[in-house]
Amino acid sequence: MLNYKQLHHFWSVARAGGIVRASERSGLAPQTLSGQIATLEADLGVTLFQRQGRRLVLTETGRVALDYAEEIFRLGNELEEAIQSRATGRMVPFRVGIADVVPKAIAYVLLAPSMTLAEPMRIICREGKLERLLGELAIHKLDVVLADSPLPPNMDVRGYSHTLGESTIGFYASAAVAGALHGNFPDCLNGAPLLLPGLEAAVRGPLLRWLEAAKLRPRIVGEFDDSALMRAFGEAGAGVFPAASLIGDELLSHGDMRVLGEARGVVETYYAISVERRLTHPAVRAISDAAPISTQATQSPHRAEQA
């Protein structure tokens, strides 16, 4: 039977980047860690690490073992947390990272199924840049990250991107701004004040290419990393702004907003990024099962070398 104590020592060394650093973190002697890993290798009949100069590097078998170890100990933490929550009557926490480019209304639509489970969840939302959120996901401070793009291939994070849904993109404006435009859509965008998503938004590039292909020259008067802030400026009359048609009805229900038209062919796709291919957290499974699009999870092609 697999010795999980030895597996934990292997996992600690692989995550720390070496035996000395793992020793400092755990308080165990380097000789103890080295001996435990050697015993694990002997029991399994494989080599998990190989030396490259003064560094320890995972073998291909070691990377496979690390994948399984990550999931084993993550599930162990979830088990302990779930049991403690039941014992104390606390709700099970569901920790979600939401990339700041994802519209808040979209995030709510995607997360809503997690709020209707038989076992109540205490949802904890963290908003921020995708890179920072993925870092927290990698060390299991988050259960899932919602984003408008799959896991970037240059990120040193092992993870899987699960497609949740997509939406066409419409252009919206306050009644005052819409009334000052000339011509029908999309020609009315020529010379119009336009608010755009920031550089990190996945939909920005397709929108600019659509405008270029249609030979439209709006005046870009603002760029926003936060979609909620862009919407606030648009509702205040600062200019025309793009938004997911999926929340169009909700947008039009506020104040005196108008929809001008859609950018045909431009869509925004939403993803749940997790550290596991097969989703196990009940809340993550709920949002995936309820998603309008269900596709096989895709793994980032980039794999970080472990020292």
Side-chain angles (χ1 to χ4, degrees):
M1 182 178 291
L2 182 65
N3 187 312
Y4 288 96
K5 185 176 182 180
Q6 293 170 355
L7 183 66
H8 191 273
H9 290 320
F10 157 75
W11 177 69
S12 299
V13 170
R15 294 187 73 197
I19 287 178
V20 173
R21 192 175 301 172
S23 172
E24 293 171 349
R25 293 180 181 179
S26 66
L28 297 174
Q31 296 85 348
T32 300
L33 292 174
S34 181
Q36 290 286 301
I37 292 172
T39 303
L40 178 64
E41 290 179 322
D43 290 345
L44 295 176
V46 298
T47 300
L48 300 173
F49 290 103
Q50 63 185 12
R51 286 209 167 272
Q52 287 186 359
R54 300 178 62 183
R55 298 175 61 239
L56 276 181
V57 178
L58 283 171
T59 63
E60 185 59 37
T61 302
R63 285 193 285 270
V64 172
L66 180 60
D67 284 349
Y68 280 98
E70 291 275 10
E71 194 154 342
I72 287 169
F73 295 120
R74 181 192 58 76
L75 287 172
N77 288 335
E78 282 188 11
L79 171 62
E80 183 178 9
E81 194 171 64
I83 290 175
Q84 289 176 349
S85 296
R86 284 179 177 273
T88 59
R90 293 184 290 111
M91 290 188 289
V92 176
F94 176 35
R95 298 158 297 195
V96 185
I98 303 173
D100 54 13
V101 294
V102 175
K104 308 302 180 290
I106 292 289
Y108 173 76
V109 169
L110 296 176
L111 293 174
S114 69
M115 308 296 289
T116 59
L117 295 173
E119 183 175 6
M121 295 282 166
R122 177 167 57 91
I123 188 166
I124 303 168
C125 292
R126 301 280 186 259
E127 186 185 17
K129 298 296 183 186
L130 180 59
E131 183 176 347
R132 179 177 66 79
L133 295 176
L134 291 176
E136 293 188 9
L137 179 71
I139 58 177
H140 308 293
K141 286 187 175 182
L142 296 173
D143 297 308
V144 70
V145 171
L146 299 186
D148 67 341
S149 61
L151 181 65
N154 62 335
M155 287 291 296
D156 291 346
V157 175
R158 180 185 66 86
Y160 299 89
S161 301
H162 309 264
T163 307
L164 296 179
E166 63 183 26
S167 175
T168 55
I169 300 298
F171 286 90
Y172 299 83
S174 67
V177 171
L181 301 179
H182 303 288
N184 297 322
F185 184 85
D187 294 335
C188 63
L189 294 179
N190 262 322
L194 179 65
L195 310 176
L196 275 181
L199 293 173
E200 295 185 4
V203 76
R204 177 188 171 99
L207 276 174
L208 290 175
R209 288 192 291 273
W210 179 83
L211 290 169
E212 182 68 25
K215 295 182 172 54
L216 300 171
R217 297 291 184 272
R219 293 183 294 110
I220 299 175
V221 297
E223 301 183 32
F224 302 85
D225 289 337
D226 189 316
S227 59
L229 186 59
M230 180 176 67
R231 172 175 169 174
F233 270 70
E235 290 179 338
V240 178
F241 66 98
S245 301
L246 186 62
I247 58 170
D249 289 344
E250 191 266 337
L251 270 172
L252 297 176
S253 68
H254 291 273
D256 58 352
M257 299 302 297
R258 302 287 186 269
V259 58
L260 305 179
E262 285 190 350
R264 186 168 299 177
V266 178
V267 296
E268 188 169 48
T269 307
Y270 312 105
Y271 300 87
I273 302 176
S274 71
V275 294
E276 54 187 0
R277 181 190 295 274
R278 184 168 51 86
L279 300 175
T280 58
H281 193 292
V284 181
R285 286 204 310 269
I287 66 175
S288 178
D289 292 344
I293 291 180
S294 180
T295 63
Q296 185 176 5
T298 56
Q299 185 179 22
S300 168
H302 179 82
R303 295 297 306 276
E305 290 295 325
Q306 300 287 340

